[in-house]
Each structure stands twice: as structure tokens, then as C-alpha cells.
Amino acid sequence: MSRKPSIDPVRWQPPPSQPLPAPDPAPPLTVVDIPGTAPEDVVVDASGTVYTGVEDGRIIAVGTDSVPRVVADTGGRPLGLAFTRDGRLLICDSHRGLLRCDVTTGSIETLVDRVAGRALTFCSNAVESSDGTIYFTESTSRFHYEHYKASVVEARGSGSLMRRDPDGQVSVLASGLHFANGVTLTADESAVVFAESTGCRLSKYWLTGPHAGSVTDLVTGLPGYPDNISTGRDGRIWVALVSDRNALSEWLSPRAPVLRRLLWRLLPYAWLPNPKSVAWVAGFDADDGRVLTQFRTVDPRFGLATGVVETDGRLWLGRIAGPGLAYFQL
């Protein structure tokens, strides 16, 4: 890992944690080996082929025969993925910005690498609407993926929700977010739902109706950290919860900035607060935020779930800090 960047901490009080209902009995978890580690997000095309991006920059496809193949290489760190209306793949790359890939040829084009005159630093997740507008998040404007803990220790709301219009114009819809992450559209495209990981909440940015142009809460006080999200076949919002809340991290956030600056400088990166390994997903009602389904299991083969997508009776999961994809049979 490269040398740690400097941080500028602020005092911030994490929201109180609200327990979710007891999980449903978790189906068996099937693990699928792929070449590479940390397949952070997972999406599926119309043919049922699963796509993910691994730590070294490669985009991997896993067909219905479960045989993985490399379809492209961003040369950076691919994070969130989404398919466009014409079958191309949107890729959020922490080093290169918002990309678009033709998965048949492997060619990659850059859609957004700068916003308001600065580099797009930590592009996290994206979704395209039916009119070709792309909504995407930047987890933090201050650090790349390799130093995501800097944003956690700093506790500064430096994330954003953005929009790229079909003509290429980019605008910021919401800023000051606490580690903006997953983003998806409601089934009727009336709103964009987005997650804030350290903010422990899901919010709606309204596209239509009386609240158009404003942000309202959907779920607050989550007992874990929401990562990537997707819209299920019945309109529910699937959320990958990467970990339970970290008590040390949340104790530090409201403390004196000088203390956190000192810990950041003195402690090895690996010793700073880490997520706890669990395979955890929940499905929320897109209208009122009720929990509709929740699976949670601890499995030595798979944990730290960061991506989720529903397809053909399976709930596929991506992950960080380890090998392989996994799925629950629904």
C-alpha cells in the first residue's frame, strides 16, 4: 500500500443504531470461484451472465456454465457496476472515474473523470435511467479506495450523489454525504435511492412528484454499514450490509480531531478499525422502508458482502477483502 495521505478530522456523531427484525432463515450459501480477489459489486445481463470487477482492474464474466472469463481491464480499481439500456457496462473506477465498457470487445471509454474542475476521486456506484441519464455516487472527494479508512477516521461528509445527462453535462445533486455508496432507481423511476455507508442510512432523491429535487429518508439508523444496492424484481431495494457497526470507529468519530489525527499517523493501516466478516443482505420496501427479507450468515468461505443483485431465483453477492462470488438460492 502507498503512503497514507494526511487527514483533516472533524467531530461527528454517528446516528443511533436501530435493530432490524430477526433475519429469515438463510438458505445455503454457494460460493463461486473466480480469478482475482475482492469482486466488489455484481450485476447480471439479460442472458443471465454475472459480471464483477476485481482488485487488479479486470472485469470478469461468469456464464451459466459457471466458467469465468476476463472481458476487460480498466487498469484501475473497478467498484460499482451497472448495465445500460444498450447492454454496455457502466464501471465506477476509484482511479479512473465513471467508465463505459463494451463487454463484447473489451473497449472502455471514460464518461466522467472530472467534476467542477477537480478529479473524480472515489467513483463508487452508478445506475442508468430509461432516458439515458446516469446517476452515480462519489464516496469521498478526498481519498481513493485503497485508503477508504481515511474517510472513516476523518468523519467528514465528503461524498456526493451526481447526475450525468445524456449530453454529457454533470451536476451534483446532493453533497456532504457520509461515504455515499450504492445507488439504484425505484421501479417506477420516481426516485433515486442511495446509501451512505458510515451514515447508516438509505435516502431518496426524488425525480418526480411534489418532492422532486429534494432528498428524504427511506431507512435510518441501520445497525450495519450499507454498501451497494439494487432494485429487485418486485421493486424492493436490496442492500448489501458489509458489516455490523464498528464500536471503536463510532466511539472515535465524536472525539477530538487531534486524537484521530495522531492515531492515523502512528498506527499501521491494517490496525485501524476493520469491518467484521458477515454475509448479510436485506430487502426494503421502496415506499416505506419496511424490511421485507433479511438473510444473515457467518461462513468461513465468504463474508464482507458489498454487492447484491437478484436474478432467476438467486441472490448474488460481491465482496471485499477476499476471493469468490456467492449466492443465496431464493
Side-chain angles (χ1 to χ4, degrees), residues 69 106 110-111 113 129 188 213 235 305-306 311:
R69 56 189 172 89
T110 300
L111 298 182
D113 60 0
S129 68
D188 61 1
T306 52
T311 179

Side-chain angles (χ1 to χ4, degrees), residues 151-234:
S151 180
V152 176
V153 175
E154 192 176 69
R156 184 181 293 273
S158 57
S160 299
L161 172 69
M162 304 184 191
R163 179 183 67 213
R164 181 189 184 274
D165 295 327
D167 63 4
Q169 181 175 343
V170 177
S171 53
V172 178
L173 304 180
S175 58
L177 306 179
H178 285 272
F179 212 87
N181 211 321
V183 61
T184 191
L185 286 157
T186 56
D188 61 1
E189 297 196 0
S190 63
V192 176
V193 180
F194 63 93
E196 291 173 79
S197 293
T198 52
C200 300
R201 66 179 175 181
L202 307 177
S203 301
K204 280 185 171 182
Y205 179 87
W206 290 92
L207 302 176
T208 63
H211 299 296
S214 66
V215 175
T216 60
D217 292 334
L218 179 61
V219 183
T220 60
L222 285 165
Y225 300 122
D227 205 285
N228 290 317
I229 66 178
S230 63
T231 302
R233 294 189 170 191
D234 63 357

Side-chain angles (χ1 to χ4, degrees), residues 20-260:
L20 297 179
D24 301 296
L29 190 67
T30 300
V31 177
V32 177
D33 291 332
I34 59 168
T37 58
E40 209 260 1
D41 198 13
V42 58
V43 292
V44 181
D45 70 7
S47 72
T49 299
V50 177
Y51 289 79
T52 191
V54 293
E55 211 163 31
D56 63 11
R58 291 175 298 159
I59 304 299
I60 310 292
V62 182
T64 53
D65 58 3
S66 297
V67 177
R69 56 189 172 89
V70 177
V71 297
D73 191 332
T74 70
R77 184 13 172 156
L79 298 172
L81 308 174
F83 275 104
T84 62
R85 297 167 300 159
D86 60 4
R88 288 182 288 180
L89 184 65
L90 295 175
I91 304 170
C92 293
D93 191 291
S94 176
H95 292 275
R96 295 190 54 191
L98 180 63
L99 313 176
R100 185 165 56 194
C101 174
D102 183 332
V103 296
T104 61
T105 66
S107 64
I108 293 176
E109 62 178 315
T110 300
L111 298 182
V112 182
D113 60 0
R114 300 190 70 82
V115 176
R118 65 165 181 83
L120 181 60
T121 304
F122 196 145
C123 190
S124 188
N125 203 239
V127 66
E128 186 188 65
S129 68
S130 57
D131 68 0
T133 302
I134 298 171
Y135 300 91
F136 63 99
T137 53
E138 181 180 43
S139 292
T140 169
S141 61
R142 297 175 49 75
F143 312 102
H144 287 298
Y145 167 83
E146 289 78 7
H147 291 112
Y148 78 90
K149 291 183 186 179
S151 180
V152 176
V153 175
E154 192 176 69
R156 184 181 293 273
S158 57
S160 299
L161 172 69
M162 304 184 191
R163 179 183 67 213
R164 181 189 184 274
D165 295 327
D167 63 4
Q169 181 175 343
V170 177
S171 53
V172 178
L173 304 180
S175 58
L177 306 179
H178 285 272
F179 212 87
N181 211 321
V183 61
T184 191
L185 286 157
T186 56
D188 61 1
E189 297 196 0
S190 63
V192 176
V193 180
F194 63 93
E196 291 173 79
S197 293
T198 52
C200 300
R201 66 179 175 181
L202 307 177
S203 301
K204 280 185 171 182
Y205 179 87
W206 290 92
L207 302 176
T208 63
H211 299 296
S214 66
V215 175
T216 60
D217 292 334
L218 179 61
V219 183
T220 60
L222 285 165
Y225 300 122
D227 205 285
N228 290 317
I229 66 178
S230 63
T231 302
R233 294 189 170 191
D234 63 357
R236 73 183 60 193
I237 306 300
W238 285 112
V239 179
L241 292 138
V242 64
S243 169
D244 293 294
R245 295 211 195 181
N246 185 287
L248 175 58
S249 174
E250 300 205 350
W251 181 85
L252 284 170
S253 291
R255 298 301 186 274
V258 67
L259 171 62
R260 283 174 285 139

